[in-house]
Amino acid sequence: MGLNIRGRSFLTLLDFTPEEINYLIDLAVEFKRLKNNGVEHKWLSDKQIVLLFEKTSTRTRCAFEVGARDLGMGVTFLDSGSSQMGKKESLADTAKVLGRMFDGIEYRGFKQSVVEDLAKYSGVPVWNGLTDQFHPTQMLADIMTAREEFGDLRGRKLTFFGDARNNVANSLMVVCAKLGMHFCACGPQELMPEEWLTEKCKAVAAETGAVLEFTDDVAQGAKDCDILYTDIWLSMGEPDELWAKRIKLLLPYQVNQKVMDMAKPTAIFEHCLPSFHDRETTVGEDIYQKFGLEAMEVTDDVFLGKHARQFQEAENRMHTIKAVMYATLK
Ligand code: CP
Ligand code: NVA
C-alpha cells in the first residue's frame, strides 16, 4: 500500500499503474472484510457526491449509493430526464456547478469525451460508471473476484467471448495488459478491438509481460483458459435493428457447457451482468419469439453451474467502487 491517488479522476485504467490498480483492489478487500464483520467505516461523513446516469443501471448505481452511505457520504442521483444537463445547460457549465456543490461526480453515459470533460471542468474527482468505450469500475470487481479464486493473476488466461470491441472487452484488455495477464479476445473479425487501443495495450504488455491474443476460433479461446468472460451481444445505446446481425455473428461464441469443458477444469465463469441466459426478461422472451433462442451469450447450465462467479462479482462492485471513492476523496 502507501500509494496516493487522492484528487484523481477514475476515467480509464489506462491512466493507472499496475501498483495503483492492485492498491485499489487491496483496499476493496479490506472494505469487504470490514463490511462482513459489521465494522462501521463512515470515514467520509463530511463529503457529498452526485451520480449522473444517462443510461440505466442496477449494479453500478446501487454500488455507488450503498458504498457512499457506508462511508457516511450524502448522495444525490440525477438522470437525464431530471436535470438540465445537455438540453438547457452545456456540459462545461453543468460540471462547474456540480464541482462547487459536490466532492465527487459519477457519470454513466455515451461518449468517453463527456466523462473526460466533466473531470476537466468540475475540478473534483470524476468516476466513469460506463461509457461506450470503457467500464473501468467493473474491471476492479472482475479482477478482485478472480483474485479471490486464484490469488496472484500474473500469467492467468482470461478469454472474452463475443463482442470483443465493446466497453467491457476493451477494459478487460487494458486491465489484463496492466496486470501481466494473458488476455484473449475470441470473436468474429469484425468485432475485434480497435487498432488504436490494441496498440496501446501491446505497449503496456511489453512492459508487464502480458500476452494479448486475438482469435475467431472458440477452441483456441477456451484452451488453457482460467477465466471465461462474456457480455450481452448488443450494448446500451445500440439500435434493436442490430439484433439479427449480432445473433448471426455471435451465436458461435456463446459460452455453453461444451465451451466450459474445453477450458481448464479449475476455470471460472464471469459476466458483468445483466445477462440473457434464459427467457425470464422481456428482451429474452422477445428474442425467443423472433429467433427461437432460449439463451444468448451464456446458457443456463453455465450460468447456474459450479464455475459461475457472476453474483460474487456483482457484490464486489460495491466493495471496489467504495475503494475508488475512498482513495480519491480521503
Ligand atoms: N455491470 C453493470 O454495470 O451493471 P449495471 O448496468 O446494472 O450497472
Ligand atoms: N456492454 C454492456 C455492459 C453493461 C454493464 C453495455 O454497455 O450495455
Side-chain angles (χ1 to χ4, degrees):
M1 295 226 185
L3 291 167
N4 188 358
I5 61 164
R6 187 169 179 268
R8 300 250 309 265
S9 284
F10 191 78
L11 308 178
T12 161
L13 286 175
L14 287 168
D15 299 338
F16 289 82
T17 64
E19 293 74 24
E20 288 167 342
I21 295 168
N22 280 320
Y23 157 70
L24 286 169
I25 295 168
D26 290 341
L27 202 51
V29 170
E30 180 59 13
F31 276 126
K32 188 168 185 173
R33 195 186 63 79
L34 291 175
K35 180 108 175 163
N36 287 346
N37 289 324
V39 181
E40 195 177 275
H41 44 281
K42 295 190 188 317
W43 300 335
L44 298 178
S45 55
D46 57 339
K47 308 280 188 208
Q48 295 284 336
I49 64 163
V50 62
L51 311 180
L52 306 180
F53 279 81
E54 295 194 316
K55 290 176 177 170
T56 52
S57 169
T58 297
R59 277 145 293 273
T60 309
R61 175 179 175 180
C62 294
F64 271 99
E65 291 210 17
V66 174
R69 284 197 204 101
D70 282 353
L71 288 167
M73 293 196 282
V75 188
T76 300
F77 175 82
L78 293 179
D79 63 21
S80 42
S82 60
S83 72
Q84 314 287 19
M85 186 168 77
K87 293 184 292 286
K88 288 165 69 181
E89 195 159 36
S90 71
L91 181 73
D93 291 357
T94 307
K96 286 173 192 169
V97 171
L98 297 177
R100 283 168 181 261
M101 295 193 193
F102 294 98
D103 301 286
I105 301 171
E106 182 275 355
Y107 173 79
R108 165 172 286 199
F110 297 87
K111 290 187 187 155
Q112 181 71 13
S113 62
V114 172
V115 78
E116 283 165 8
D117 282 347
L118 277 172
K120 185 167 146 196
Y121 294 114
S122 68
V124 297
V126 171
W127 309 298
N128 180 356
L130 180 147
T131 62
D132 290 345
Q133 204 163 62
F134 292 119
H135 195 6
T137 63
Q138 178 71 51
M139 296 306 108
L140 299 180
D142 301 343
I143 294 299
M144 179 175 173
T145 307
R147 247 175 60 169
E148 287 173 336
E149 192 74 28
F150 299 117
D152 188 359
L153 295 180
R154 272 170 300 180
R156 292 275 178 186
K157 178 172 173 179
L158 182 152
T159 300
F160 182 91
F161 294 89
D163 178 8
R165 32 103 272 179
N166 78 10
N167 42 17
V168 169
N170 282 346
S171 307
L172 285 167
M173 180 164 68
V174 173
V175 80
C176 289
K178 290 271 177 179
L179 298 183
M181 294 172 64
H182 177 166
F183 173 76
C184 176
C186 184
Q189 286 305 330
E190 62 188 282
L191 295 179
M192 280 291 154
E194 289 178 24
E195 198 182 334
W196 70 270
L197 185 60
T198 307
E199 289 309 312
K200 267 187 197 288
C201 290
K202 279 185 186 159
V204 173
E207 299 280 316
T208 62
V211 173
L212 303 182
E213 184 185 359
F214 305 90
T215 180
D216 59 8
D217 180 47
V218 173
Q220 182 62 32
K223 185 169 178 279
D224 298 327
C225 185
D226 296 291
I227 305 145
L228 293 89
Y229 202 118
T230 190
D231 184 12
I232 51 174
W233 290 342
L234 200 64
S235 286
M236 288 182 277
E238 294 190 303
D240 283 349
E241 296 74 63
L242 276 179
W243 269 122
K245 188 172 176 220
R246 282 292 163 77
I247 287 171
K248 190 158 178 261
L249 273 174
L250 291 176
L251 194 53
Y253 300 93
Q254 180 187 64
V255 179
N256 49 40
Q257 198 55 49
K258 194 171 152 226
V259 178
M260 280 305 309
D261 290 342
M262 287 190 257
K264 282 187 186 165
T266 51
I268 59 169
F269 170 76
E270 289 194 357
H271 192 311
C272 55
L273 303 179
S275 162
F276 296 124
H277 59 95
D278 58 22
R279 290 166 55 193
E280 301 296 320
T281 60
T282 49
V283 175
E285 179 60 20
D286 192 43
I287 294 292
Y288 174 75
Q289 295 300 335
K290 286 187 183 134
F291 303 97
L293 288 184
E294 293 277 354
M296 284 192 266
E297 74 277 3
V298 54
T299 51
D300 237 11
D301 48 358
V302 171
F303 196 83
L304 302 174
K306 64 179 187 194
H307 303 280
R309 297 292 181 275
Q310 68 277 2
F311 294 114
Q312 182 181 330
E313 195 182 349
E315 178 195 326
N316 286 340
R317 297 296 308 286
M318 198 258 295
H319 306 300
T320 46
I321 281 175
K322 198 187 278 182
V324 171
M325 293 191 288
Y326 179 70
T328 54
L329 293 183
K330 72 182 159 101

